[in-house]
């Protein structure tokens, strides 16, 4: 088996380390953050991802952790670059960590292949190769190998990928990188670097478009009496459309969709093309979060001042503590600005949320959030909310109003219990 280096022990890096070791490779994981490497050496894992700690532990004899870039670069013939590329205020991706990784390559590095997994703007590969050539790193070959990992199912997504995409301008190099995935039964697409870079953005932008599209259909359903859940089912039966990512709700969040849609818009703009569709995708997503305020006003009257609103779920999706770009942030801030008393609860995301929105009242359970509430908004569809004893909850609420922001609750059952139920584009509504 091959000896690999992974630069960046963040989310993508650690999943790559675990899965490549699982495939039998020896892996040296490098990060400049000494505390992170110290924790990993002691058997800890700095992020929460189901199965990750177990997989790293199970393959520990094939994994080495280091903070020394020179050692790391010398160890592996293949170097996966998995540093993060966060958005800058302009929406462009910040590539400083990529350049820092390049700066760290020792002069006498020998021959190896630099494989960029980080999501980078189309054209970055060409820039990096030019820079490497200028610095005299003539033995370094380059490949782009985007990841398509979802938080919560990242290991599964890696080991059972829909596809492995490898872009290299030398087909022999692309083939060598694809070989590293031997043991994974996934189709492999070998292509050029720019196309591989674009595939990543195009996928995330398309998925985000699908969500904004179904959210607009839901909004029109609300105005016309149709039911978006049935509409989505009917649409999904068309093989050309497919059933996935047609779940209407209060918008997408997370560390990828908002960042990548906005970066693709900038990539297009920077190269002189105005990507009109993406503007609408972004705007629909922004407005979708705010529509909840209008709904609450329809049920409670225009004055939300002094009204007690329960927010169930704060993370951007269930089974994660990640609140990046979560719909809950906009929603809670708007409600606080209206003078409402906002009581939030999340099984995992309370601590991180408290630091950015201290004005919200944080309560230790869903039941506590619902106590005395004038209305409740299901923001994130954690299973504990779906399994809640809603009949009991109703007794403790001031008014039995449920705004289901994810169309995840049993609407008919709630209406039977006497709740006022309001989903996103669903038909079961009001008393
Ligand atoms: C996403 C992509 O799925 C993954 O391929 C990429 O590599 C990283 O970004 P992730 O951010 O983990 O993964 O979340 P995902 O499960 O895709 O959900 C993203 C957001 O879309 C969530 O806020 C979710 O609530 C929302 N969503 C998803 C919808 O509103 N409706 C849907 O039908 C699907």
């Amino acid at each position: 088996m091959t000896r690999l280096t992974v630069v960046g022990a963040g989310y993508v890096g650690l999943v790559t380390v675990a899965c490549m070791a699982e495939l039998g490779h020896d892996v040296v994981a490098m990060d400049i953050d000494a505390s992170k490497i110290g924790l990993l050496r002691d058997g800890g894992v700095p992020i929460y991802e189901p199965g990750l700690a177990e997989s790293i532990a199970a393959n520990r004899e094939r994994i080495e952790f280091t903070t020394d870039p020179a050692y790391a670069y010398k160890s592996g013939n293949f170097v996966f670059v998995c540093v993060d590329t966060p958005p800058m205020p302009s929406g462009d991706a910040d590539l400083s960590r990529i350049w820092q990784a390049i700066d760290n390559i020792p002069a006498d590095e020998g021959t190896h292949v630099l494989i960029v997994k980080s999501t980078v703007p189309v054209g970055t590969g060409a820039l990096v190769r030019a820079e490497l050539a200028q610095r005299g790193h003539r033995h370094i070959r380059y490949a782009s190998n985007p990841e398509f990992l979802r938080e919560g199912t990242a290991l599964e997504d890696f080991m059972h990928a829909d596809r492995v995409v490898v872009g290299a301008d030398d087909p022999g190099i692309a083939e060598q990188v694809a070989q590293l995935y031997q043991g994974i039964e996934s189709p492999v697409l070998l292509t050029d670097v720019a196309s591989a870079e674009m595939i990543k953005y195009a996928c995330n932008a398309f998925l985000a478009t699908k969500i904004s599209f179904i959210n607009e259909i839901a909004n029109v359903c609300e105005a016309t009496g149709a039911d978006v859940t049935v509409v989505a089912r009917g649409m999904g039966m068309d093989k050309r459309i497919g059933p996935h990512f047609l779940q209407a709700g209060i918008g997408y969040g997370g560390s990828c969709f908002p960042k990548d849609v906005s970066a693709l818009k900038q990539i297009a703009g920077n190269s002189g093309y105005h990507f009109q569709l993406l503007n609408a995708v972004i705007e629909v997503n922004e407005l979708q979060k705010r529509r909840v305020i209008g709904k609450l006003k329809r049920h409670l009257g225009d004055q939300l001042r002094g009204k007690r609103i329960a927010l169930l779920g704060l993370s951007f999706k269930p089974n994660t503590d990640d609140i990046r770009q979560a719909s809950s942030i906009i929603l809670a801030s708007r409600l606080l600005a209206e003078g409402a008393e906002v009581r939030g609860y999340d099984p995992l995301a309370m601590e991180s949320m408290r630091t950015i929105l201290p004005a919200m009242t944080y309560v230790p359970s869903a039941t506590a959030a619902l106590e005395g509430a004038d209305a409740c908004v299901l923001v994130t569809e954690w299973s504990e909310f779906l399994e809640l004893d809603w009949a009991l909850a109703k007794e403790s609420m001031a008014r039995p109003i449920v705004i289901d922001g994810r169309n995840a609750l049993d609407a008919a059952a709630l209406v039977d219990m006497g709740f006022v139920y309001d989903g996103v584009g669903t038909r079961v509504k009001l008393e």
Side-chain angles (χ1 to χ4, degrees):
M1 282 294 163
T2 325
R3 204 165 150 80
L4 313 174
T5 296
V6 174
V7 176
Y11 187 78
V12 175
L14 288 176
V15 172
T16 304
V17 167
C19 293
M20 282 297 175
E22 185 90 36
L23 290 174
H25 301 293
D26 287 320
V27 187
V28 175
M30 199 284 287
D31 200 289
I32 47 171
D33 182 339
S35 62
K36 206 184 258 185
I37 291 298
L39 178 71
L40 286 158
R41 278 186 182 146
D42 292 344
V45 174
I47 53 162
Y48 172 74
E49 177 62 29
L52 182 60
E54 292 82 350
S55 176
I56 291 178
N59 295 291
R60 193 61 182 83
E61 81 276 9
R62 281 191 291 281
I63 304 173
E64 210 182 319
F65 294 106
T66 181
T67 50
D68 180 356
Y71 173 74
Y73 281 99
K74 281 183 182 153
S75 297
N77 313 103
F78 295 88
V79 179
F80 283 96
V81 178
C82 303
V83 294
D84 59 341
T85 52
M88 296 198 288
S90 60
D92 294 273
D94 176 359
L95 297 181
S96 54
R97 292 187 181 98
I98 295 275
W99 295 118
Q100 189 178 29
I102 308 261
D103 282 343
N104 282 338
I105 301 177
D108 55 343
E109 81 292 334
T111 304
H112 48 229
V113 184
L114 200 64
I115 308 164
V116 171
K117 256 198 181 303
S118 306
T119 301
V120 292
V122 186
T124 302
L127 289 177
V128 171
R129 273 178 300 153
E131 184 66 22
L132 288 171
Q134 207 190 336
R135 295 182 187 201
H137 294 302
R138 302 210 176 272
H139 302 293
I140 301 188
R141 317 307 299 269
Y142 187 92
S144 163
N145 175 213
E147 50 79 22
F148 304 95
L149 309 173
R150 284 166 301 174
E151 286 185 31
T153 53
L155 277 90
E156 177 78 8
D157 289 346
F158 193 104
M159 299 305 274
H160 303 279
D162 285 350
R163 73 311 207 182
V164 172
V165 174
V166 185
D169 292 330
D170 174 344
I173 294 296
E175 189 57 54
Q176 282 180 34
V177 174
Q179 285 294 320
L180 301 176
Y181 286 86
Q182 224 172 36
I184 289 179
E185 308 280 318
S186 302
V188 174
L189 178 69
L190 302 185
T191 179
D192 60 281
V193 171
S195 302
E197 291 169 341
M198 182 59 100
I199 286 169
K200 169 67 194 230
Y201 282 108
C203 286
N204 276 356
F206 186 77
L207 292 169
T209 303
K210 236 179 151 181
I211 298 170
S212 278
F213 182 86
I214 200 65
N215 283 341
E216 289 215 280
I217 292 287
N219 299 344
V220 180
C221 283
E222 279 178 14
T224 55
D227 188 322
V228 74
T229 49
V230 188
V231 174
R233 212 179 312 143
M235 287 172 66
M237 289 164 125
D238 187 322
K239 291 193 183 67
R240 295 167 301 174
I241 298 173
H244 306 292
F245 274 70
L246 288 176
Q247 177 73 38
I250 54 173
Y252 60 78
S255 65
C256 290
F257 285 168
K259 162 176 88 77
D260 291 348
V261 175
S262 151
L264 180 53
K265 182 184 137 176
Q266 297 310 332
I267 291 164
N270 294 346
S271 52
Y273 182 74
H274 181 52
F275 205 142
Q276 297 194 61
L277 188 56
L278 293 185
N279 283 329
V281 170
I282 294 166
E283 196 182 335
V284 168
N285 197 51
E286 290 308 315
L287 294 175
Q288 200 67 11
K289 304 167 187 176
R290 292 160 193 264
R291 280 175 67 85
V292 175
I293 308 293
K295 287 188 178 185
L296 285 169
K297 286 185 173 172
R298 267 200 302 284
H299 294 294
L300 299 174
D302 272 349
Q303 267 298 355
L304 293 181
R305 177 162 298 280
K307 299 280 171 12
R308 182 180 279 194
I309 312 293
L311 297 188
L312 298 188
L314 304 171
S315 56
F316 85 98
K317 68 174 190 179
N319 307 317
T320 174
D321 62 353
D322 196 340
I323 55 161
R324 281 176 288 179
Q325 306 292 318
S327 298
S328 61
I329 300 172
I330 302 291
L331 188 52
S333 314
R334 283 287 305 117
L335 286 169
L336 289 167
E338 295 271 345
E341 183 201 347
V342 188
R343 289 161 71 87
Y345 167 71
D346 187 282
L348 279 185
M350 304 276 271
E351 282 319 304
S352 37
M353 195 71 179
R354 208 189 292 266
T355 55
I356 52 168
L357 263 184
M360 182 154 71
T361 307
Y362 295 87
V363 292
S365 66
T367 318
L370 292 167
E371 232 169 69
D374 291 294
C376 140
V377 184
L378 181 89
V379 182
T380 316
E381 65 278 34
W382 285 91
S383 58
E384 72 168 77
F385 303 144
L386 314 188
E387 288 152 14
L388 197 75
D389 184 341
W390 281 94
L392 200 67
K394 181 169 171 275
E395 300 311 311
S396 74
M397 289 178 75
R399 294 186 224 193
I401 298 169
V402 173
I403 310 286
D404 184 353
R406 298 291 171 188
N407 292 346
L409 297 169
D410 185 342
L414 287 177
V415 171
D416 274 353
M417 288 173 206
F419 273 100
V420 174
Y421 174 89
D422 203 347
V424 182
T426 55
R427 258 170 90 87
V428 187
K429 212 168 268 178
L430 307 179
E431 293 84 349

